[in-house]
């Protein structure tokens, strides 16, 4: 594998995580639990789709088949998407949506902070830009985790269930294979071991303030990075790809 | 003869479509203007990555240049260094306030998760006693507040650093 191929794969993963989570959140447009959160979640969706645009644009330039960002976003088949399973999980209730967002935001913030000093200037630029937005997302999601966890008996119980249900998908945030190994060696991307402690501290601090506890089991689900997705992914793609499949080459 | 000073002046007439009191110069999104052999090169930077106003702004620049008889130009987008509200002009901040949007305040780093809430004075009555209604507002760049004194609901242009 060449550095360029590894960089393509890495950028595609980040782009897919942003795109799929952005798509998930966009489903809440007009369906948020309260007006303020409807606006918040769709604003975060917009940021994520904006970040996906930058990432997939770069991936397209590195792609050996020279696909552009729209082709990458809308014309791949399910097995070619390399987002983690966490981001494709259904929105569920508000606690599920927020907990999923929190686990992701805590990771993304830690990752972007380190990527913004990458030797790859393009990736560093995207990270620097995205970080400013993602920090705010983390502030929003962590405040809600605390409010719900340390809220009423009912809200505590429900978000604890969200945590028990979704934490098994968090391990995949730190998935590494030869793509990462090569880029880490070249000083282009940080290692998972470098990001994990930062993520873990944020998660522990917020969960403690939220009076929530990590699930006792040690279940770990993964597969998304290798193109093996959960049953939810196909429905999401059908919705997301509909316009481009129906009207090929359409543009907004 | 086209020169950089003239182009900067032309760009003063191009406004943010979502905050129409601010020119793109006030916003600080025009990063550079270069003129060489009558060819104009303009570099702009997005406020937020998903900001839907960017395309409109690019079109509006095109329209303005065409109206001024400039046909040889290129508009490029650069994301680094990343835009910050610190680049907003002081006159821009005043215009925002007059328009009813509270300008960005000096905020601590957002990565500090448990920081004290910031004070955003009401743009109508200047009272510091205001309340955050929603961290997100009508556009990506704003949050929603309400004044506890005059009860005015208002937008706050968030500090982005």
């Amino acid at each position: 594998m060449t550095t360029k191929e590894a960089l393509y794969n890495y950028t595609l993963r980040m782009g897919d995580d942003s795109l799929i989570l952005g798509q998930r959140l966009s489903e809440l447009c007009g369906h948020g639990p309260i007006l303020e959160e409807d606006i918040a979640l769709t604003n975060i969706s917009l940021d994520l789709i904006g970040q996906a645009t930058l990432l997939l644009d770069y991936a397209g330039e590195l792609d050996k088949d020279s696909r552009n960002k729209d082709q990458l976003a809308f014309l791949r088949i399910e097995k070619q998407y390399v987002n983690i399973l966490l981001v494709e999980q259904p929105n569920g209730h508000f606690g599920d949506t927020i907990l999923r967002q929190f686990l992701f935001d805590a990771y993304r913030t830690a990752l972007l902070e380190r990527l913004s000093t990458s030797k790859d200037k393009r990736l560093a630029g995207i990270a620097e830009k995205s970080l400013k937005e993602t920090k705010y997302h983390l502030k929003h999601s962590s405040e809600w985790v605390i409010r719900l966890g340390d809220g009423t008996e009912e809200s505590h119980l429900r978000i604890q269930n969200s945590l028990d249900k979704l934490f098994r998908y968090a391990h995949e945030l730190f998935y590494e294979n030869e793509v990462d190994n090569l880029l880490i060696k070249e000083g282009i991307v940080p290692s998972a071991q470098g990001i994990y402690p930062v993520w873990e501290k944020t998660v522990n601090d917020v969960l403690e303030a939220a009076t929530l506890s990590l699930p006792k089991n040690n279940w770990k689900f993964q597969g998304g990075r290798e193109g093996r997705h959960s049953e939810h992914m196909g429905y999401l793609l059908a919705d997301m790809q509909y316009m481009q499949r129906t009207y090929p080459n359409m543009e907004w | 003869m086209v020169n950089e000073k003239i182009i900067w002046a032309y760009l003063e007439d191009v406004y943010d479509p979502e905050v129409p009191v601010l020119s793109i110069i006030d916003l600080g999104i025009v990063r550079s203007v270069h003129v060489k052999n009558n060819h104009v090169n303009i570099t702009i930077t997005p406020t937020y990555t998903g900001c839907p106003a960017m395309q409109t702004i690019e079109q509006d620049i095109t329209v303005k240049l065409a109206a001024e008889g400039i046909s040889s130009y290129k508009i490029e987008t650069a994301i680094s260094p990343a835009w910050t509200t610190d680049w907003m002009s002081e006159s821009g901040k005043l215009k925002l306030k007059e328009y009813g949007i509270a300008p960005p305040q000096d905020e601590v780093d957002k990565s500090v998760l448990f920081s004290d809430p910031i004070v955003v004075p009401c743009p109508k009555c200047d009272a510091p006693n205001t309340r955050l209604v929603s961290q997100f507002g009508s556009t990506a760049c704003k949050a929603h507040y309400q004044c506890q004194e005059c009860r005015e609901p208002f937008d706050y242009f968030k500090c982005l650093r």
Side-chain angles (χ1 to χ4, degrees):
Chain A
M1 186 183 297
T2 64
T3 306
K4 191 179 168 188
E5 283 165 349
L7 201 52
Y8 163 75
N9 276 295
Y10 193 90
T11 313
L12 192 66
R13 284 177 190 172
M14 283 185 74
D16 282 352
D17 284 351
S18 308
L19 178 69
I20 301 303
L21 187 54
Q23 172 69 19
R24 266 288 178 243
L25 292 175
S26 77
E27 291 169 10
L28 292 165
C29 187
H31 299 275
I34 49 172
L35 181 61
E36 289 80 2
E37 283 312 300
D38 192 304
I39 295 168
L41 296 168
T42 40
N43 261 298
I44 294 167
S45 167
L46 187 65
D47 284 343
L48 284 166
I49 291 169
Q51 295 173 16
T53 308
L54 296 176
L55 289 159
L56 294 180
D57 201 22
Y58 188 29
E61 287 173 32
L62 298 162
D63 180 23
K64 60 177 170 23
D65 299 323
S66 307
R67 284 169 291 184
N68 66 29
K69 57 177 181 280
D70 284 329
Q71 289 168 322
L72 286 174
F74 297 117
L75 296 177
R76 281 178 291 155
I77 58 167
E78 184 178 320
K79 283 184 172 175
Q80 294 166 329
Y81 283 83
V82 286
N83 57 279
I84 54 168
L85 299 177
L86 176 71
V87 296
E88 70 198 43
Q89 296 310 303
N91 291 325
H93 58 65
F94 184 63
D96 293 333
T97 302
I98 283 297
L99 206 279
R100 180 187 65 196
Q101 194 65 34
F102 168 65
L103 294 174
F104 181 80
D105 291 341
Y107 161 79
R108 252 302 160 87
T109 305
L111 173 66
L112 293 173
E113 266 167 3
R114 276 146 199 82
L115 263 188
S116 57
T117 55
S118 169
K119 264 162 64 180
D120 186 275
K121 291 287 164 262
R122 181 78 175 271
L123 205 49
I126 296 172
E128 183 203 353
K129 181 80 199 160
S130 308
L131 179 60
K132 290 174 194 266
E133 299 169 355
T134 303
K135 278 195 289 194
Y136 198 64
H137 302 171
L138 176 59
K139 202 174 173 66
H140 171 258
S141 58
S142 54
E143 283 175 8
W144 269 111
V145 169
I146 295 167
R147 193 184 297 185
L148 295 174
D150 193 22
T152 64
E153 204 178 315
E154 171 81 9
S155 71
H156 175 86
L157 186 69
R158 291 184 78 173
I159 198 164
Q160 180 64 56
N161 284 339
S162 307
L163 181 61
D164 293 346
K165 188 168 61 181
L166 289 166
F167 197 72
R168 64 192 68 170
Y169 297 106
H171 306 278
E172 200 181 9
L173 289 163
F174 304 99
Y175 171 94
E176 280 184 347
N177 69 1
E178 68 273 13
V179 168
D180 307 80
N181 296 340
L182 194 151
L183 296 174
I184 292 165
K185 211 164 68 191
E186 301 211 7
I188 295 174
V189 306
S191 69
Q193 294 109 297
I195 306 166
Y196 184 80
V198 185
W199 176 82
E200 193 186 29
K201 184 173 186 321
T202 310
V203 170
N204 286 340
D205 287 354
V206 170
L207 292 186
E208 196 193 323
T211 70
L212 296 170
S213 44
L214 290 175
K216 293 204 172 47
N217 66 60
N218 195 26
W219 292 347
K220 296 175 182 178
F221 286 7
Q222 64 173 43
R225 285 280 186 256
E226 290 154 14
R228 282 180 283 109
H229 292 280
S230 59
E231 66 273 29
H232 309 296
M233 184 68 170
Y235 294 98
L236 181 148
L237 291 182
D239 202 14
M240 187 177 81
Q241 296 187 337
Y242 175 80
M243 292 297 278
Q244 198 53 241
R245 298 274 186 204
T246 312
Y247 304 98
N249 304 320
M250 67 154 288
E251 282 180 22
W252 289 106
Chain B
M1 199 48 193
V2 183
N3 63 40
E4 283 158 19
K5 209 174 143 194
I6 293 175
I7 301 294
W8 280 104
Y10 290 162
L11 296 177
E12 290 271 9
D13 293 337
V14 179
Y15 288 87
D16 179 332
E18 286 174 4
V19 190
V21 288
L22 287 186
S23 77
I24 56 175
I25 305 291
D26 289 327
L27 258 181
I29 62 171
V30 179
R31 299 318 298 156
S32 71
V33 174
H34 292 294
V35 179
K36 203 176 168 187
N37 302 328
N38 275 335
H39 178 80
V40 180
N41 241 316
I42 298 172
T43 305
I44 54 174
T45 192
T47 51
Y48 284 75
T49 56
C51 180
M54 285 312 286
Q55 268 183 328
T56 313
I57 288 171
E58 217 176 301
Q59 277 169 9
D60 291 348
I61 296 174
T62 306
V63 169
K64 176 67 184 171
L65 293 178
E68 300 294 344
I70 293 163
S71 55
S72 175
Y73 59 85
K74 193 170 179 199
I75 303 164
E76 285 174 291
T77 303
I79 56 160
S80 181
W83 181 80
T84 153
T85 42
D86 294 343
W87 294 349
M88 192 184 286
S89 70
E90 289 307 311
S91 68
K93 288 178 189 167
L94 275 176
K95 282 187 230 171
L96 267 184
K97 184 171 179 288
E98 281 164 20
Y99 187 60
I101 298 175
Q105 300 295 311
D106 198 15
E107 286 185 37
V108 293
D109 193 333
K110 292 210 178 58
S111 55
V112 182
L113 284 182
F114 304 105
S115 57
D116 291 332
I118 51 153
V119 175
V120 178
C122 172
K124 293 283 179 210
C125 74
D126 293 315
N129 182 16
T130 61
R131 175 178 75 92
L132 173 69
V133 177
S134 171
Q135 285 167 318
F136 292 82
S138 54
T139 62
C141 52
K142 289 177 242 149
H144 198 63
Y145 275 75
Q146 185 174 28
C147 179
Q148 301 289 74
E149 302 296 334
C150 73
R151 310 304 295 169
E152 176 80 1
F154 64 92
D155 272 334
Y156 164 53
F157 203 113
K158 291 180 288 200
C159 172
L160 188 76
R161 281 185 183 146

